[in-house]
Amino acid sequence: MSREADYTIKGFIYQFNKTLEQVLSEPNGTEITVEGIIEDIDVVSAGLTKAIQCKYHETKEKYKSSDISKPILQMLVHYAKNKDKNIQYILYAHFSDETEGEKTISKSDIETILKSKDKSYLNYISELKPPKTEAIKALLLKPKKSAEDIKKITTYYGTATDLELKIDIDNFLKPESFKFIIGKSFDSLIIDIKQLLETKSGFTKVDIEELFYPNAIQKIANKSILHNPEDRKINNTNFISGLEKSKKTAITRWTRELLTYSKLLTKRRSQLKLNLQANHRQRYFLFNESNIEDFENKIVKFISEYISKYHYKIKLHSKTPVFSIKTENDNLIPQIESRLHQKGLKFQNGLKGNDFFQGEFLREPTIISTKNWREFQLRICNYNIDSAKAINTKKSDDLFLIGKEDFEQIDKQDINIEVLEVSNLNELQYLLMLTDNFE
């Protein structure tokens, strides 16, 4: 994907929505690749590849040549290398004041783009109009170019009159080869996708809002980050049936941007309720603190409130919860432990001196039920190789992955996994019914 430096999360979600629209609207059997080999979305059907690059410019009212120069240059370079292939290049871009639909790009527009003096376009332009001097060829091959190098190259391209263009612009601009489409607004695209989901499935409007639409977006997002292009492919024939297997609403950085996020949190809360009501369940919480706002200041309050609600009855609450924190801050865990002690919460950290002992960490607390006394109420540790081994040795019933999921060392087989990519601990408290408000 050609990601601009200022590309926003909303821009990525717009692309995921456009990908989802292609998945739902193409004939069955169509293969769609997220973050395709050619463009943001590659659609292959009946021998034709549609290579779609998707841009979202919410803050720009009208498009200018500079807004579309880079994607068009990228398409031209690919076209120059693949003239014998049946590829249609589609630039799909939203500008707030442009009328939706196909726009005409003229030959003179392309010629103007090819004369651009923007130094970031030099590699594209030089591929389309190769230099004829060895000195410029050598400069272009340098991985790092000095300001003087760039000046020489731009001066050369600004004055050279004998350069040959490797493509025929008129052929590229034929409708079967290239289209420029002004895309729908963010909200309109979502409305249309939800309608497509309803048409293509037996889902109710409520289930689409609260479960299947956010999970479909997350499914596309998950595909987009996979390294192997083959793994990023979606055959749309079984997409809906695969979606039907989703029973938990995705709560991630992507679904946070949706207008229905508060409803999604409420739905996810109701899904978590049944297991949370059970007294005898082993629960482990794994936090990626770098992805959670104000984690250091809020985590002790969260742990305290969790213990007060779910682990305070000596006889009924027999499974000691684990709180494991992935952090680069060596002082964070000791600081949290000190604050837990000040709140009267007793914990086991498995440490003897500077060394972590799995047996000590996993041992059960001594309990004197007649005195309503428990040796410790929770286990806490830094997430590392040693603590991951301990977590794998004594598996939980429920494993809560909080923040961006990034716990590869954990054995997740035969465990109820709850992925909650919340942005702050207020949302987590709401999901776990520790509060009735997540604001």
Side-chain angles (χ1 to χ4, degrees):
M1 175 180 179
S2 56
R3 298 182 175 178
E4 309 294 341
D6 61 347
Y7 216 79
T8 62
I9 285 182
K10 195 168 184 179
F12 286 123
I13 295 174
Y14 188 80
Q15 181 203 315
F16 297 156
N17 273 292
K18 180 58 183 170
T19 306
L20 181 54
E21 183 184 49
Q22 294 297 141
V23 170
L24 295 172
S25 58
E26 295 286 345
N28 280 350
T30 301
E31 181 182 272
I32 295 94
T33 305
V34 191
E35 301 295 346
I37 298 169
I38 305 173
E39 297 294 353
D40 294 341
I41 311 162
D42 294 349
V43 181
V44 181
S45 179
L48 170 68
T49 297
K50 286 189 276 189
I52 305 168
Q53 192 162 161
C54 189
K55 298 295 179 187
Y56 182 69
H57 297 283
E58 183 180 37
T59 58
K60 295 181 179 180
E61 295 177 353
K62 296 284 186 180
Y63 83 89
K64 301 189 297 248
S65 176
S66 58
D67 295 321
I68 60 173
S69 293
K70 185 174 181 180
I72 286 179
L73 283 169
Q74 290 170 327
M75 290 176 173
L76 288 170
V77 168
H78 193 274
Y79 172 74
K81 298 175 180 177
N82 296 274
K83 294 174 190 172
D84 58 330
K85 294 179 182 174
N86 194 12
I87 301 173
Q88 182 184 51
Y89 299 88
I90 300 172
L91 175 56
Y92 187 91
H94 172 74
F95 297 86
S96 60
D97 264 11
E98 293 282 0
T99 303
E100 289 178 22
E102 200 167 332
K103 281 270 186 182
T104 299
I105 297 291
S106 68
K107 183 175 183 178
S108 62
D109 291 331
I110 300 291
E111 290 170 340
T112 299
I113 290 172
L114 288 169
K115 292 175 185 175
S116 172
K117 295 181 180 180
D118 190 322
K119 62 183 181 183
S120 65
Y121 300 160
L122 285 176
N123 286 339
Y124 303 124
I125 292 171
S126 64
E127 284 199 59
L128 294 165
K129 296 192 293 184
K132 292 192 173 182
T133 67
E134 294 301 321
I136 297 300
K137 288 179 184 178
L139 290 178
L140 285 165
L141 288 172
K142 291 176 68 173
K144 290 186 178 180
K145 300 175 183 65
S146 67
E148 183 62 27
D149 293 337
I150 293 170
K151 183 178 179 181
K152 287 179 181 178
I153 297 169
T154 52
T155 300
Y156 173 80
Y157 273 96
T159 56
T161 58
D162 59 341
L163 301 181
E164 296 174 10
L165 187 61
K166 291 173 67 176
I167 61 163
D168 184 314
I169 297 174
D170 291 322
N171 283 339
F172 174 78
L173 289 176
K174 289 178 180 178
E176 61 268 25
S177 294
F178 173 77
K179 286 185 179 181
F180 175 36
I181 299 173
I182 300 297
K184 303 168 188 175
S185 70
F186 190 89
D187 294 342
S188 295
L189 184 56
I190 291 174
I191 289 168
D192 289 351
I193 287 168
K194 289 176 180 176
Q195 182 59 55
L196 275 169
L197 274 170
E198 189 176 359
T199 302
K200 294 273 186 173
S201 71
F203 304 154
T204 66
K205 281 187 170 66
V206 172
D207 283 343
I208 288 170
E209 286 282 346
E210 297 179 350
L211 182 62
F212 295 114
Y213 168 67
N215 285 6
I217 289 297
Q218 189 57 42
K219 191 169 183 156
I220 301 294
N222 290 343
K223 286 278 187 184
S224 74
I225 61 174
L226 298 176
H227 178 71
N228 188 342
E230 288 298 314
D231 295 334
R232 297 199 302 273
K233 291 181 179 179
I234 299 170
N235 189 304
N236 68 353
T237 302
N238 301 316
F239 186 81
I240 295 294
S241 60
L243 206 56
E244 285 176 328
K245 297 174 184 176
S246 305
K247 303 302 178 187
K248 297 176 181 179
T249 303
I251 299 296
T252 71
R253 62 175 173 155
W254 305 117
T255 58
R256 275 202 301 273
E257 295 296 318
L258 304 180
L259 295 175
T260 56
Y261 185 58
S262 61
K263 291 181 180 179
L264 302 187
L265 284 175
T266 301
K267 180 66 175 180
R268 193 71 177 92
R269 174 177 155 122
S270 69
Q271 293 165 355
L272 292 167
K273 185 176 182 180
L274 181 63
N275 281 342
L276 287 171
Q277 288 177 329
N279 289 319
H280 298 287
R281 285 187 77 82
Q282 185 76 68
R283 300 186 185 114
Y284 293 174
F285 293 85
L286 274 57
F287 297 90
N288 192 330
E289 66 92 11
S290 65
N291 302 119
I292 303 172
E293 297 168 8
D294 205 19
F295 180 87
E296 184 174 349
N297 292 326
K298 300 282 183 68
I299 184 58
V300 171
K301 180 174 181 288
F302 168 76
I303 292 173
S304 176
E305 291 182 357
Y306 177 85
I307 297 297
S308 295
K309 180 160 186 172
Y310 294 111
H311 197 64
Y312 69 94
K313 297 175 182 177
I314 294 294
K315 292 183 178 179
L316 289 179
H317 299 153
S318 59
K319 308 279 189 177
T320 307
V322 170
F323 300 88
S324 182
I325 301 166
K326 186 172 188 176
T327 178
E328 300 297 324
N329 181 356
D330 293 337
N331 296 319
L332 180 59
I333 306 296
Q335 288 173 4
I336 291 171
E337 290 175 346
S338 177
R339 288 159 54 199
L340 289 171
H341 176 75
Q342 290 171 7
K343 288 186 73 71
L345 289 168
K346 299 171 184 176
F347 56 85
Q348 173 60 262
N349 60 13
L351 294 176
K352 294 296 181 182
N354 293 323
D355 297 323
F356 177 85
F357 292 87
Q358 179 175 296
E360 185 68 14
F361 182 72
L362 294 177
R363 74 175 177 85
E364 296 300 327
T366 300
I367 293 174
I368 304 175
S369 56
T370 56
K371 294 185 178 181
N372 200 35
W373 180 85
R374 192 184 335 237
E375 183 184 3
F376 55 85
Q377 298 147 292
L378 64 124
R379 298 185 177 98
I380 185 168
C381 63
N382 195 348
Y383 178 80
N384 53 35
I385 293 174
D386 292 332
S387 62
K389 286 179 180 176
I391 288 168
N392 289 335
T393 298
K394 185 175 183 178
K395 287 192 171 185
S396 62
D397 297 309
D398 301 315
L399 180 64
F400 293 85
L401 305 180
I402 314 299
K404 194 173 186 300
E405 185 182 359
D406 190 20
F407 303 97
E408 297 88 353
Q409 295 162 319
I410 298 299
D411 179 3
K412 302 179 180 73
Q413 189 174 24
D414 303 324
I415 298 173
N416 174 45
I417 307 293
E418 303 290 358
V419 179
L420 303 173
E421 199 177 317
V422 294
S423 60
N424 58 67
L425 292 177
N426 291 340
E427 292 178 354
L428 182 59
Q429 286 175 289
Y430 175 76
L431 289 168
L432 300 185
M433 293 180 289
L434 299 176
T435 179
D436 289 328
N437 187 0
F438 56 85
E439 300 294 339

